[in-house]
Amino acid sequence: MPATRIWLKNPLAIFTANALDARGGLVLQNGVIVEVLALGQQPATACGQVFDAREHVVLPGLINTHHHFYQTLTRAWAPVVNQPLFPWLKTLYPVWARLTPEKLALASKVALAELLLSGCTTAADHHYLFPDGLENAIDVQVESVRELGMRAMLTRGSMSLGEADGGLPPQQTVQQGEVILEDSQRLIARYHERGDGARIQIALAPCSPFSVTPQIMTASAELANSLDVRLHTHLAETLDEEDFCLQRFGLRTVDYLDSVGWLGPRTWLAHGIHFNPEEIARLGAAGTGICHCPSSNMRLASGICPTLDLIAAGAPIGLGVDGSASNDASNMILEARQALYIQRLRYGAEKITPEGVLGWATQGSAKLLGRSDIGELAVGKQADLALFKLDELRFSGSHDPLSALLLCGADRADRVMVGGQWRVIDGQVEGLDLQGLIADHSQAARELIAG
């Protein structure tokens, strides 16, 4: 018995992230897109199900390429509300060091549910905290992703340069290099899926120049190359970080990245703010990707990513919400709105369009994760979709539906599909006791702060 063909019919508006005319809708089967219909076109053969999308703006599922799920437990915490990155980190590290598997599971579910409700279908998380008792943090996250029915690139982060050796993190949060590399190999062997439709993937992600040794950076690059997985880290987020690299390594950030074997297309970097023109050219020539995190960059007053310069040089650009302690939300459609506005401050209104920014949140983000099966609507791509309604007060009087999503501040999808399965219906996550999750997570957050 062939799987049911579903016609997502005649959407109010549709963004394909390519040049295809999909105004007649999409035909889905076996979790993939099998037809893209132009205006007035009918499916080639009869469809068992028809979903009337005339009230919906349809997007490819949004792709979040940088997050820290665990940070949902320390949102809007008064001692760090007005701090820039380095003091913010030093104040929070001791709190985060008390993380447990149970609290991480709750934090991850909250982050994923919030992302899903915002139209996000694939999320990359950067988890780098492995205190005693939390050695299996990534395994915990895998279960949360499966429970929510999403896709994820879970990065095995690491910190190996503690305060005692001149780094930023406290000693109880750092691990030895051998432990990091052994666990990285275990996770890749156990969980990393390859090819179209992959649900769980693993990448290697030493945290930052100020929290890991050059040795673990080099060893991670060699391991990623031998096992064919991707590399991720924070880079050029603040001027403090640049100063740290100059003082400790005698190198600017991109020179340091090159010195440890990371400058290449396997790598994507979070933030990428403080690059000079020569560094931008080198990143572009290497095909190294940059995840723009506008809300976090504004919250911590870090600066503005030079997106168009990077793109012109050849570097892919994607979007990320960053951790929920420096953004305080895990909402991808709102992140796209922030990107639109902060980038207009840098480049002007004419050069930064809603379509361009939505392209970063979909096809651009997919490139960062090394995926060609998600991030756009075309035949053969995964049926990962985000559908938004424009029936709230904030949209009343709007004329262009696609622009309205960002300009009028859409913050919640009406329906979300992952691999052909509806995961959000009528603005609710299927099978999730949201109120119970909020109650348990809020209690865990209070306990974490209280110590």
Side-chain angles (χ1 to χ4, degrees), residues 11 17 45 65 69-70 126 129 148 150 172 195 198 207 241 251 262 266 328-329 340 365 370 377 401 410 419 433 438:
T45 58
T65 56
F69 294 165
Y70 73 88
H126 189 179
L129 280 166
L148 272 293
M150 295 172 69
Q172 72 265 38
C207 184
E241 178 194 325
L251 299 168
W262 275 60
R266 190 182 299 283
D328 306 277
L340 178 79
S365 284
L377 305 181
D433 174 10
I438 291 170

Side-chain angles (χ1 to χ4, degrees), residues 209-210 217 234-246 249-260 262-263 269 272-276 279 282-283:
F210 50 81
M217 289 290 285
H234 300 91
L235 199 79
E237 182 177 0
T238 66
L239 292 172
D240 284 346
E241 178 194 325
E242 186 180 299
D243 291 342
F244 181 94
C245 286
L246 284 167
F249 311 121
L251 299 168
R252 284 176 56 84
T253 52
V254 174
D255 289 324
Y256 175 68
L257 199 71
D258 196 7
S259 75
V260 291
W262 275 60
L263 200 57
L269 307 168
I273 296 168
H274 299 286
F275 297 133
N276 63 33
E279 289 164 339
R282 288 169 67 195
L283 289 161

Side-chain angles (χ1 to χ4, degrees), residues 6-9 11 13-16 22 25-29 31-36 51 53 56-63 115-122 151 362 373-378 381-388 413-425:
I6 305 169
W7 180 15
L8 208 72
K9 181 181 178 182
I14 187 163
F15 174 76
T16 58
L26 306 168
V27 179
L28 318 171
Q29 188 172 10
V32 299
I33 299 168
V34 293
E35 288 185 72
V36 175
F51 179 84
H56 290 92
V57 182
V58 179
L59 308 178
L62 305 179
I63 301 168
L115 285 167
L116 192 56
L117 287 167
S118 75
C120 176
T121 53
T122 301
R151 303 185 200 278
T362 52
D373 61 326
I374 57 175
E376 62 177 304
L377 305 181
K381 306 295 182 184
Q382 296 296 305
D384 292 5
L385 307 170
L387 283 69
F388 294 84
D414 179 61
R415 282 190 171 241
V416 180
M417 176 182 278
V418 184
Q421 300 292 317
W422 290 116
R423 294 302 304 126
V424 173
I425 296 177

Side-chain angles (χ1 to χ4, degrees), residues 27 150 154 183 190 192 281 333:
V27 179
M150 295 172 69
L154 299 174
D183 194 48
R190 182 166 184 184
H192 185 69
I333 194 69

Side-chain angles (χ1 to χ4, degrees), residues 206-350:
C207 184
S208 62
F210 50 81
S211 60
V212 295
T213 60
Q215 289 79 12
I216 202 67
M217 289 290 285
T218 301
S220 295
E222 290 169 352
L223 185 61
N225 191 54
S226 68
L227 298 179
D228 190 25
V229 296
R230 297 186 82 72
L231 288 165
H232 183 52
T233 194
H234 300 91
L235 199 79
E237 182 177 0
T238 66
L239 292 172
D240 284 346
E241 178 194 325
E242 186 180 299
D243 291 342
F244 181 94
C245 286
L246 284 167
Q247 287 171 19
R248 187 169 184 93
F249 311 121
L251 299 168
R252 284 176 56 84
T253 52
V254 174
D255 289 324
Y256 175 68
L257 199 71
D258 196 7
S259 75
V260 291
W262 275 60
L263 200 57
R266 190 182 299 283
T267 300
W268 89 101
L269 307 168
H271 304 295
I273 296 168
H274 299 286
F275 297 133
N276 63 33
E278 187 237 348
E279 289 164 339
I280 289 171
R282 288 169 67 195
L283 289 161
T288 298
I290 309 292
C291 171
H292 177 33
C293 304
S295 295
S296 174
N297 296 163
M298 287 187 271
R299 157 86 151 80
L300 297 173
S302 301
I304 304 176
C305 176
T307 54
L308 295 191
D309 297 73
L310 286 157
I311 290 168
I317 294 287
L319 290 187
V321 299
D322 200 9
S324 293
S326 68
N327 174 337
D328 306 277
S330 307
N331 190 307
M332 270 302 287
I333 194 69
L334 281 181
E335 202 63 32
R337 184 179 203 242
Q338 295 284 51
L340 178 79
Y341 289 153
I342 195 171
Q343 290 297 321
R344 283 189 170 187
L345 282 180
R346 184 165 193 134
Y347 292 109
E350 302 92 340

